Each structure stands twice: as structure tokens, then as C-alpha cells.
């Protein structure tokens, strides 16, 4: 019994120590790194919402989209997992192209394959040539093997809608992107920068440079980190916040 009690006390002390370290890290990051927002979230053209799986990331991104709609903004809710998003907006029809629910709220489901083909439509105007390229299984295999290409296709489409013009003005006032979980979020954000460093001059590099410029602009874009008051999700969020700040 004494050994069991001693082991229990040791575990409790270790847990309390980890919790104290987590709180200290959070206070330090808030004090030394994170600055007060210069503008409201709803004044920004692009919001990148991420968090550890299961913390409510998609729910928060849906709430942000709804908040923007209620403020009279034309908002696009961009998601990568339509099934989960459909539970939050049952009336929505998630497709590869934006679908309007009302004059102020639209939704879109972004997949790597559809986004790549849509990008091909912008670059390759001839339908026959485009279909021959994207229907070729060898080409598909090659595209799937290119590091970061699928990530850029997804992020690039979300960025495109944030800058898309219609009738001489922006089609959307704000794009809320329900991004991947924290494990993949930082790598996806880095892809445009990598493209600007390795891609030759052309449309791909030009678009990546424009996207990277937007993502670095605190007045027009922002990252929303979603977490829970628990050790693992908090630590993972703090780690991601630190990497973003650096």
C-alpha cells in the first residue's frame, strides 16, 4: 500500500509539474511573442483556422464564418472535410466550386485532386489537352509524388478565392479556411515560401509569391489557433504558435 501510495503521489506531482510548465510557457509566449491584434478578425480577407484534432477546430471556423455573415460580409467557408462540416451546416451543399447559401455566405469543399485540375484549367485553356493530361494515370502518379504540390493546390485555391474578382470588385470580403490539424498546418503554410525559392519564373511562382505576401500581411490575414485547456492540445498549440512567430 505504501508503494502504491508513493507511486500515485509521484504521478500527481509529475502531472502538476507538467501543468505548471505548460502555464508558464503560455504566459511567456503571450507576454513576449503575441501582439494585440491591430485589426478585427472580420476585417481580414483570409483566416487560417487550425488546431489539434478533436479540439473543435471546424466548429470554430464555422462560427467565424457565421459571425462574418451576420456582420453583413460576403464570406466563403472553405473546408477540406465536407462530411464533418455538413454536420454543422446541414443545409449546405459542399462542392468543388463555391455554393451560395444566401447572399452573404458561401461554402466550398477543397480537395487536392479537384484543386489541381482547376488550376490546370487556368493554365491550359484547351479542354482536350487538359483532359488528356489530367486523365493520364502516369501524370497523376507523378503529381501525387511531387512534395508539397497537393498542399499548395489546397491552400492555393483558398488563397485564390480570397483574391478572386467578380464584377470589378472582390467576390468575397473574407475567406475562412478550415485548415488541416496542427500536425500538418505549419508545413502547409510553408509551401508557398518553398515554391518561391525553387520554382522557375512563371505562373506557379507568381501565384506563390502573391499568396506568401498575403499570408505575411497582418492587416489582411490571420491565423486562428484552436485548443482546449488540456495538456496535450495546449502544448501542441504553443509549439505551433512559437514556430509561426519565428
Amino acid at each position: 500500500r505504501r508503494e502504491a501510495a508513493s507511486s500515485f503521489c509521484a504521478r500527481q506531482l509529475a502531472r502538476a509539474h507538467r501543468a505548471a510548465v505548460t502555464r508558464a510557457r503560455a504566459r511567456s509566449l503571450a507576454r513576449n511573442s503575441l501582439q494585440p491584434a491591430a485589426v478585427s478578425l472580420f476585417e481580414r480577407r483570409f483566416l487560417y483556422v487550425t488546431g489539434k484534432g478533436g479540439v473543435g477546430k471546424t466548429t470554430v471556423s464555422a462560427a467565424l464564418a457565421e459571425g462574418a455573415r451576420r456582420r453583413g460580409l460576403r464570406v466563403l467557408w472553405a473546408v477540406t472535410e465536407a462530411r464533418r462540416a455538413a454536420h454543422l451546416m446541414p443545409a449546405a451543399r459542399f462542392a468543388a466550386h463555391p455554393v451560395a447559401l444566401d447572399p452573404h455566405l458561401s461554402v466550398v469543399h477543397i480537395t487536392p485532386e479537384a484543386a489541381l485540375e482547376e488550376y490546370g484549367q487556368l493554365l491550359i485553356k484547351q479542354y482536350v489537352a487538359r483532359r488528356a493530361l489530367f486523365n493520364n494515370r502516369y501524370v497523376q502518379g507523378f503529381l501525387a509524388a511531387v512534395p508539397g504540390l497537393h498542399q499548395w493546390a489546397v491552400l492555393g485555391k483558398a488563397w485564390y478565392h480570397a483574391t478572386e474578382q467578380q464584377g470589378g470588385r472582390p467576390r468575397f470580403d473574407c475567406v475562412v479556411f478550415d485548415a488541416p490539424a496542427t500536425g500538418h498546418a505549419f508545413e502547409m503554410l510553408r509551401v508557398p515560401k518553398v515554391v518561391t525559392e525553387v520554382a522557375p519564373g512563371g505562373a506557379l511562382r507568381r501565384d506563390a509569391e502573391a499568396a506568401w505576401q498575403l499570408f505575411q500581411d497582418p492587416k489582411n490575414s490571420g491565423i486562428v489557433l484552436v485548443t482546449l485547456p488540456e495538456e496535450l492540445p495546449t502544448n501542441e498549440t504553443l509549439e505551433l504558435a512559437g514556430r509561426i512567430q519565428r
Side-chain angles (χ1 to χ4, degrees):
R1 290 183 179 178
R2 289 181 179 177
E3 292 179 356
S6 177
S7 177
F8 174 77
C9 289
R11 291 196 300 271
Q12 291 298 100
L13 286 172
R15 182 177 300 173
H17 174 71
R18 291 196 300 269
V21 170
T22 298
R23 289 194 296 271
R25 288 179 62 197
R27 288 194 297 269
S28 176
L29 183 62
R31 183 172 58 252
N32 299 323
S33 300
L34 300 180
Q35 301 298 322
V39 296
S40 163
L41 286 176
F42 298 110
E43 294 179 58
R44 307 183 191 202
R45 302 198 59 79
F46 187 82
L47 295 178
Y48 187 93
V49 185
T50 185
K52 182 177 174 60
V55 301
K57 168 181 67 68
T58 302
T59 302
V60 169
S61 68
L64 287 170
E66 175 62 18
R69 184 191 71 81
R70 293 187 180 187
R71 285 166 172 78
L73 300 176
R74 292 164 296 135
V75 58
L76 175 67
W77 186 35
V79 304
T80 56
E81 297 184 25
R83 182 177 301 179
R84 185 172 300 176
H87 289 294
L88 298 170
M89 290 190 186
R93 182 173 67 86
F94 291 90
H97 298 282
V99 177
L101 276 71
D102 61 42
H104 292 285
L105 177 61
S106 300
V107 299
V108 65
H109 178 212
I110 304 179
T111 64
E113 297 78 13
L116 270 176
E117 185 165 351
E118 184 177 347
Y119 194 59
Q121 292 177 9
L122 299 175
L123 300 179
I124 306 172
K125 302 302 182 182
Q126 291 186 353
Y127 176 81
V128 175
R130 187 171 65 243
R131 295 307 301 172
L133 179 66
F134 283 95
N135 286 344
N136 187 298
R137 63 188 182 93
Y138 296 107
V139 172
Q140 291 291 339
F142 170 77
L143 293 176
V146 176
L149 186 59
H150 276 184
Q151 290 175 309
W152 166 242
V154 172
L155 182 59
K157 178 172 171 60
W159 159 78
Y160 167 75
H161 288 307
T163 60
E164 185 180 6
Q165 297 287 311
Q166 188 175 72
R169 66 169 186 165
R171 181 179 180 183
F172 302 106
D173 298 312
C174 177
V175 171
V176 179
F177 179 42
D178 185 43
T182 51
H184 303 283
F186 184 74
E187 296 306 319
M188 175 176 278
L189 279 174
R190 287 185 67 250
V191 167
K193 178 62 174 174
V194 174
V195 172
T196 64
E197 294 173 347
V198 302
L204 178 60
R205 180 169 179 171
R206 183 176 63 249
D207 290 344
E209 288 174 344
W212 185 246
Q213 184 176 4
L214 174 66
F215 300 153
Q216 289 186 300
D217 183 355
K219 292 184 179 181
N220 285 303
S221 67
I223 301 174
V224 179
L225 303 181
V226 183
T227 190
L228 292 174
E230 298 174 2
E231 182 181 347
L232 287 179
T234 298
N235 280 330
E236 194 167 307
T237 302
L238 289 172
E239 181 180 352
L240 176 60
R243 296 176 73 185
I244 292 171
Q245 289 295 319
R246 291 193 294 270

